[in-house]
């Protein structure tokens, strides 16, 4: 157990739907990062939050949004889902980022 | 051109072999270098972390960073079947997002 908790582990949904992925960071970590991993693209950075505030944005689609709550857990919202959104979505947390992140076990999203 | 380049493999070796995994990068501002191991359908697990140039050893694993060549390596000695996984290099400038390589798939056969 890495200390980073992601739920749900698996999600199957239809095109056009909206889903919410949840992440609880490791105790003491203020930064939360969201990554998307697909077979052909590797790990793609989506967004970072630090202590409740958005810190950096990557290749995140406008249909996707995220937030970090006062208790530091984070949610990634994916809407108007397309087949191409099927991927593994990882959350990671860190104290500062210089020594790497700790990843959760991911949420496997399948859009049918 | 990607910021971080990594050969996807697969790299197949017999048990006991020395494995060399490598990445090149283009951003000279990168200062922090990591190696992650990812088993199938699992989250990446941090193996090694190195700051700036030099070597770092941890058991059977050695990480090397050559900033002048923008080249980093991970060596695995006495490789085991349990080392079969995808190895991802990652790097950043500090308090910034990590940039990952696409990963090299390693297969160690008994």
């Amino acid at each position: 157990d890495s200390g980073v908790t992601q739920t749900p582990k698996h999600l199957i949904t239809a095109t056009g739907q909206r889903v919410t992925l949840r992440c609880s960071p490791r105790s003491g970590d203020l930064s939360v990062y969201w990554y998307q991993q697909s077979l052909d693209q590797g790990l793609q950075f989506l967004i970072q939050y630090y202590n409740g505030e958005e810190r950096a944005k990557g290749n995140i689609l406008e249909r996707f949004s995220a937030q970090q709550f006062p208790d530091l857990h984070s949610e990634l919202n994916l809407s108007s889902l397309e087949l191409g959104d099927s991927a593994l979505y990882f959350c990671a947390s860190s104290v500062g980022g210089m020594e790497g992140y700790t990843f959760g076990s991911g949420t496997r999203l399948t859009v049918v | 051109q990607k910021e971080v380049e990594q050969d996807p493999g697969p790299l197949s070796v017999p048990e006991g072999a020395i494995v060399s995994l490598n990445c090149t990068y283009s951003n000279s501002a990168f200062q922090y270098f990591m190696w992650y191991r990812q088993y199938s359908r699992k989250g990446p697990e941090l193996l090694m972390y190195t700051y700036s140039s030099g070597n770092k050893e941890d058991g059977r694993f050695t990480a090397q960073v050559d900033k002048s060549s923008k080249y980093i390596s991970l060596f695995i000695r006495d490789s085991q079947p349990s080392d079969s996984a995808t190895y991802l290099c990652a790097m950043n400038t500090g308090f910034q997002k990590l940039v990952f390589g696409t990963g090299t798939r390693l297969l160690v056969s008994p």
Side-chain angles (χ1 to χ4, degrees):
Chain A
D1 182 7
S2 68
V4 178
T5 304
Q6 286 189 250
T7 56
K9 292 193 184 306
H10 303 279
L11 204 48
I12 301 175
T13 190
T15 54
Q17 295 299 305
R18 172 189 170 96
V19 297
T20 298
L21 313 183
R22 182 188 168 99
C23 170
S24 293
R26 200 176 50 167
S27 178
D29 287 354
L30 299 179
S31 277
V32 169
Y33 309 81
W34 285 97
Y35 279 80
Q36 180 192 58
Q37 187 177 42
S38 54
L39 280 174
D40 57 346
Q41 292 291 326
L43 273 166
Q44 298 293 311
F45 171 71
L46 295 177
I47 198 164
Q48 176 199 359
Y49 279 84
Y50 178 81
N51 202 22
E53 294 189 3
E54 182 182 305
R55 178 62 63 91
K57 235 175 182 178
N59 300 320
I60 187 167
L61 300 171
E62 285 191 10
R63 301 182 285 108
F64 296 0
S65 65
Q67 54 184 327
Q68 186 179 28
F69 294 87
D71 66 353
L72 300 180
H73 91 272
S74 178
E75 293 181 357
L76 179 67
N77 300 297
L78 315 176
S79 61
S80 302
L81 285 168
E82 302 175 358
L83 295 177
D85 298 326
S86 296
L88 270 168
Y89 291 84
F90 286 106
C91 166
S93 71
S94 74
V95 173
M98 289 182 291
E99 297 185 7
Y101 311 157
T102 300
F103 279 84
S105 56
T107 293
R108 179 172 294 276
L109 174 66
T110 303
V111 182
V112 297
Chain B
Q1 183 189 6
K2 291 183 178 180
E3 276 190 290
V4 180
E5 299 278 358
Q6 188 174 9
D7 188 327
L11 177 62
S12 295
V13 301
E15 183 176 354
I18 297 174
V19 175
S20 173
L21 303 165
N22 312 293
C23 287
T24 59
Y25 62 95
S26 58
N27 187 347
S28 58
F30 286 143
Q31 295 280 352
Y32 300 87
F33 304 90
M34 298 96 187
W35 285 95
Y36 283 82
R37 177 176 62 195
Q38 186 176 21
Y39 292 111
S40 181
R41 297 174 179 266
K42 301 290 186 184
E45 170 195 10
L46 182 62
L47 274 180
M48 300 284 286
Y49 147 74
T50 310
Y51 169 68
S52 194
S53 286
N55 293 358
K56 187 173 185 178
E57 188 173 322
D58 184 2
R60 297 185 295 112
F61 298 90
T62 299
Q64 285 186 353
V65 175
D66 181 351
K67 290 192 67 181
S68 63
S69 302
K70 297 191 182 69
Y71 189 87
I72 71 170
S73 301
L74 178 71
F75 298 95
I76 307 174
R77 291 183 298 280
D78 187 24
S79 57
Q80 303 295 309
S82 58
D83 294 328
S84 298
T86 296
Y87 290 80
L88 302 123
C89 62
M91 51 200 76
N92 69 3
T93 59
F95 290 92
Q96 302 294 330
K97 65 179 176 69
L98 281 176
V99 180
F100 283 84
T102 51
T104 298
R105 187 173 167 217
L106 172 66
L107 302 171
V108 181
S109 55

